[in-house]
Amino acid sequence: MELSATNLLIGLWGITAALSLYALFALPRLVEERSGRIVLLVALLALPLATMAGGVREGLQHSASRSACLNCHEMEIYGQSLLIDDDEAIPALHFQNNLIPREKPCYVCHADYGVFGDAKAKLRGLQHVYAHYVRGAPETIELYSAYPNQNCLSCHQGARAFEEQRQHRRGEVSIEKLYAGEVSCMSSGCHDLVHAVDEMRAGDFDYWRPDEHAFPDIAPIHFEKAEDSDEDLPDWMRDLGDDE
Amino acid sequence: MTGDRSAGVPILRLAIVLQIVGLVLAIVAIVSARPLAVIAFSGIGAPLIVLGALLYVIQILRELARRGSL
């Protein structure tokens, strides 16, 4: 068994639970003995609080994970979009090339940069759970506000390849405007192919096929790119194909 | 003396029961990556564990006060 923080926490939980049960049944005797009162100090104060702190930490990590985001079926297609086989698709490009942590790609890109970014992301997560279980998810899932450049710049700002890119210094675009958020990175004609769910449903993409066990939380993809058919060709061209 | 200490047993028993419920929610949140499990632990389980610990501390303070140690 791997010695991970999670396994250590499960071990701590086991000891805490066992000692709590023992204390529950032996309580009258424990309060009378000095050693028993020490057991109670450990069983009712030290171990439960340590387990709780570990559990909260683990829970926060879980809530930032890819599998937590993709747990709701509404998010299924957004997970599948990470496998689009197209260099222009921003989430797929970053995910497939390890430019973001594969275990928490949604969180890394959608938690706002800044002091309260993480806290805001957790609060939005609560809203999402409420929407999923109580209010019902909206038909079209949209961001609460325009995607902030700062989320891209938290990695790209100052990078030579980014700053020397010609497209970042032409026409309406300038590095200064990008840094100030005056021009969106996702402006039309720039990095505007993101999750592309409508195009996915229309069968516009091929998909990266890693080992089938690599990302078990990403649902199998059913909307394959349509095979090249000759339906759109004029009759005379189709006839040529038949002759061959 | 023995009877006085036993007087705190029901409160301590309640504290342990609260903590056991909190611990059950904790293991579900630790093992499962489901958002609802994490929310249940953060919103219910963790407060129950803290409440159990508080009851224990209150009982110790009461015992110390009874003995005139405070």
Side-chain angles (χ1 to χ4, degrees):
Chain A
M1 188 184 237
E2 190 189 345
L3 190 66
S4 65
T6 306
N7 287 338
L8 283 175
L9 186 59
I10 290 171
L12 178 66
W13 181 90
I15 294 168
T16 309
L19 207 57
S20 294
L21 285 174
Y22 170 68
L24 184 63
F25 291 109
L27 194 55
R29 187 163 53 81
L30 290 175
V31 294
E32 299 299 335
E33 299 166 2
R34 185 183 172 82
S35 59
R37 290 194 290 276
I38 293 172
V39 170
L40 285 179
L41 178 71
V42 175
L44 271 88
L45 200 65
L47 285 181
L49 291 182
T51 307
M52 185 199 74
V56 169
R57 179 188 163 278
E58 191 75 8
L60 289 177
Q61 283 190 343
H62 272 326
S63 64
S65 69
R66 186 184 70 229
S67 53
C69 297
L70 301 184
N71 196 259
C72 300
H73 63 87
E74 297 91 343
M75 288 293 117
E76 195 173 87
I77 195 165
Y78 293 89
Q80 292 165 329
S81 74
L82 298 173
L83 303 182
I84 291 175
D85 189 17
D86 188 328
D87 281 353
E88 300 279 308
I90 296 299
L93 171 77
H94 284 76
F95 179 77
Q96 293 170 26
N97 293 293
N98 270 340
L99 301 177
I100 48 175
R102 282 184 177 165
E103 288 313 305
K104 48 178 181 178
C106 321
Y107 187 79
V108 167
C109 293
H110 287 283
D112 288 350
Y113 194 61
V115 180
F116 299 110
D118 287 348
K120 274 168 67 182
K122 299 294 177 201
L123 286 175
R124 281 202 301 254
L126 282 177
Q127 273 180 275
H128 297 164
V129 172
Y130 177 76
H132 177 76
Y133 287 105
V134 183
R135 197 183 58 205
E139 218 158 275
T140 308
I141 294 175
E142 290 176 334
L143 294 175
Y144 293 99
S145 54
Y147 192 84
N149 281 4
Q150 206 53 46
N151 288 9
C152 306
L153 296 173
S154 61
C155 293
H156 291 285
Q157 185 163 4
R160 183 180 171 191
F162 175 78
E163 297 207 333
E164 290 183 356
Q165 179 67 248
R166 255 185 321 127
Q167 283 86 345
H168 293 162
R169 297 178 176 279
R170 68 172 179 150
E172 295 283 301
V173 182
S174 71
I175 288 289
E176 291 72 26
K177 282 183 176 175
L178 287 170
Y179 284 172
E182 290 170 16
V183 176
S184 169
C185 303
M186 290 167 186
S187 301
S188 177
C190 299
H191 305 288
D192 56 353
L193 188 61
V194 193
H195 286 291
V197 292
D198 291 334
E199 292 89 334
M200 287 172 70
R201 290 189 180 110
D204 285 357
F205 296 112
D206 283 323
Y207 294 88
W208 179 44
R209 301 278 182 192
D211 181 290
E212 61 179 300
H213 304 297
F215 311 114
D217 49 342
I218 297 180
I221 296 163
H222 302 297
F223 21 75
E224 290 295 319
K225 190 173 185 177
E227 289 292 320
D228 289 338
S229 72
D230 56 3
E231 277 179 21
D232 297 333
L233 298 176
D235 291 343
W236 65 270
M237 286 182 83
R238 264 189 272 166
D239 292 343
L240 281 177
D242 292 342
D243 291 345
E244 287 169 10
Chain B
M1 184 81 176
T2 300
D4 291 339
R5 278 200 179 124
S6 303
V9 168
I11 290 179
L12 292 177
R13 186 163 284 143
L14 175 65
I16 295 172
V17 169
L18 292 177
Q19 291 196 335
I20 287 175
V21 174
L23 286 171
V24 170
L25 292 173
I27 195 64
V28 176
I30 292 167
V31 172
S32 151
R34 289 178 174 273
L36 206 55
V38 175
I39 291 173
F41 172 61
S42 307
I44 302 169
L48 285 181
I49 291 175
V50 172
L51 187 60
L54 271 179
L55 285 177
Y56 171 70
V57 170
I58 288 168
Q59 184 53 35
I60 288 177
L61 293 176
R62 281 172 64 181
E63 180 68 17
L64 290 174
R66 189 184 61 76
R67 288 193 204 174
S69 305
L70 281 181

